[in-house]
C-alpha cells in the first residue's frame, strides 16, 4: 500500500495543516476528505484533491512526516496538540514498523496486551510488526483526544496476514509524553496475541 493511501499518512499531514486543538479527526478514503472537530464543536474539513496535496505529499516519506511532526512538537504548542502529535507518531510507528520510535516513546513500565516493561513490549512488537510486506495497519480515525487523561482513542484495521480485522485502540501517555499503556478491542472474532486475549 502506498503511504499516501493509508489514512494515518493523511491524518498526520492534516495535523501539520490544521493549527486548532482537536477533539477528533477522521479521514474518509472514498471522498479523500479529512473532517476534524475542535473541543468547542467547530468542524474543519479539508478536501484532499491532487491540487491541494501537491507534490510535497507524494514525495514525502512516512519517516520524513514523523520528523516534521516531531519538529512541530518542539514549539510552544498546547497539550492537546502535543497529545495528538505524539499519538500520530506512535500510530505511524505501528503502521510502518519504526522500531526506533517504539524504543524512544515507551515508558520503562509500559503495559500492552499482557506484556509489561519496555523490553518485553519491544520483543513482542518486533515479532509481530516487522518483516511484513504491507503496512501493518490502516488507521483512518482518532475518535477521541482526552487531554486531561492523556488518552487517545483510534480505530484500526489490522492488515497482517492471519491477524486481519478491525478494532479500537486506547493509548495512554505519561506526563513526559511516553506511552504508558495500550489496550485494544477487536470488533470481530477474539484473537490470541502472545497468550493474551484481545476480545470482541
Amino acid at each position: 500500500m502506498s503511504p499516501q493511501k493509508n489514512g494515518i499518512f493523511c491524518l498526520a499531514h492534516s495535523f501539520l495543516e490544521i493549527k486548532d486543538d482537536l477533539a477528533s479527526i477522521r479521514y474518509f478514503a472514498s471522498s479523500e476528505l479529512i473532517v476534524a472537530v475542535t473541543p468547542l464543536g467547530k468542524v474543519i474539513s479539508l478536501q484532499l484533491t491532487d491540487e491541494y496535496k501537491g507534490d510535497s505529499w507524494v514525495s514525502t516519506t512516512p519517516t520524513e512526516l514523523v520528523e516534521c511532526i516531531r519538529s512541530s512538537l518542539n514549539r510552544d504548542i498546547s497539550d492537546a496538540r502535543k497529545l495528538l502529535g505524539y499519538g500520530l507518531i506512535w500510530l505511524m510507528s505501528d503502521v510502518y514498523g519504526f522500531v526506533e520510535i517504539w524504543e524512544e516513546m515507551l515508558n520503562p513500565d509500559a503495559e500492552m496486551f499482557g506484556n509489561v516493561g519496555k523490553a518485553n513490549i519491544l520483543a513482542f512488537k518486533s515479532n509481530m510488526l516487522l518483516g511484513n510486506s504491507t503496512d501493518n495497519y490502516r488507521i483512518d480515525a482518532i475518535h477521541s483526544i482526552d487531554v486531561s487523561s492523556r488518552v487517545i482513542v483510534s480505530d484500526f484495521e489490522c492488515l497482517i496476514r492471519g491477524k486481519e480485522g478491525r478494532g479500537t485502540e486506547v493509548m495512554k501517555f505519561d506526563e513526559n509524553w511516553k506511552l504508558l499503556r495500550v489496550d485494544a478491542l477487536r470488533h470481530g472474532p477474539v484473537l490470541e496475541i502472545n497468550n493474551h486475549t484481545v476480545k470482541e
Side-chain angles (χ1 to χ4, degrees):
M1 175 184 298
S2 162
Q4 294 81 14
K5 298 298 182 189
N6 196 313
I8 192 66
F9 191 87
C10 298
L11 294 173
H13 255 293
S14 299
F15 168 80
L16 296 170
E17 298 284 329
I18 300 170
K19 303 305 180 196
D20 301 68
D21 288 352
L22 299 178
S24 66
I25 184 169
R26 183 175 195 96
Y27 169 66
F28 294 92
S30 61
S31 57
E32 289 282 312
L33 182 69
I34 292 281
V35 177
V37 180
T38 70
L40 296 176
K42 175 183 165 188
V43 176
I44 301 165
S45 61
L46 299 175
Q47 185 66 58
L48 304 181
T49 62
D50 289 340
E51 183 180 332
Y52 174 82
K53 291 189 285 190
D55 292 337
S56 67
W57 276 49
V58 176
S59 64
T60 302
T61 67
T63 304
E64 292 167 336
L65 191 51
V66 164
E67 289 310 313
C68 289
I69 293 172
R70 275 189 176 145
S71 176
S72 77
L73 296 175
N74 292 328
R75 299 186 196 117
D76 185 22
I77 60 172
S78 69
D79 281 355
R81 296 235 353 121
K82 284 182 183 174
L83 179 58
L84 179 54
Y86 283 113
L88 288 168
I89 289 171
W90 181 263
L91 291 169
M92 288 183 74
S93 75
D94 278 356
V95 168
Y96 303 114
F98 295 154
V99 177
E100 65 281 356
I101 292 176
W102 301 333
E103 292 172 346
E104 174 188 314
M105 289 186 67
L106 278 169
N107 177 295
D109 300 316
E111 297 178 41
M112 183 180 303
F113 313 129
N115 297 284
V116 179
K118 187 174 183 174
N120 290 329
I121 292 171
L122 287 171
F124 159 72
K125 291 180 81 58
S126 295
N127 183 49
M128 184 171 163
L129 301 179
L130 296 181
N132 297 313
S133 59
T134 64
D135 295 348
N136 295 311
Y137 300 97
R138 179 176 178 81
I139 298 171
D140 289 334
I142 307 292
H143 298 296
S144 178
I145 302 162
D146 180 352
V147 181
S148 63
S149 300
R150 294 194 180 215
V151 167
I152 286 192
V153 180
S154 73
D155 76 347
F156 68 87
E157 179 183 357
C158 184
L159 305 174
I160 301 167
R161 189 177 193 141
K163 295 179 173 57
E164 296 90 345
R166 296 192 57 80
T168 301
E169 184 166 276
V170 179
M171 298 160 282
K172 181 167 181 63
F173 291 83
D174 68 16
E175 65 280 358
N176 297 311
W177 305 108
K178 301 291 184 189
L179 196 70
L180 189 59
R181 184 175 178 91
V182 176
D183 291 301
L185 173 69
R186 301 271 302 194
H187 299 173
V190 172
L191 180 68
E192 274 293 316
I193 299 177
N194 202 28
N195 297 321
H196 179 76
T197 302
V198 179
K199 299 180 180 178
E200 291 185 83

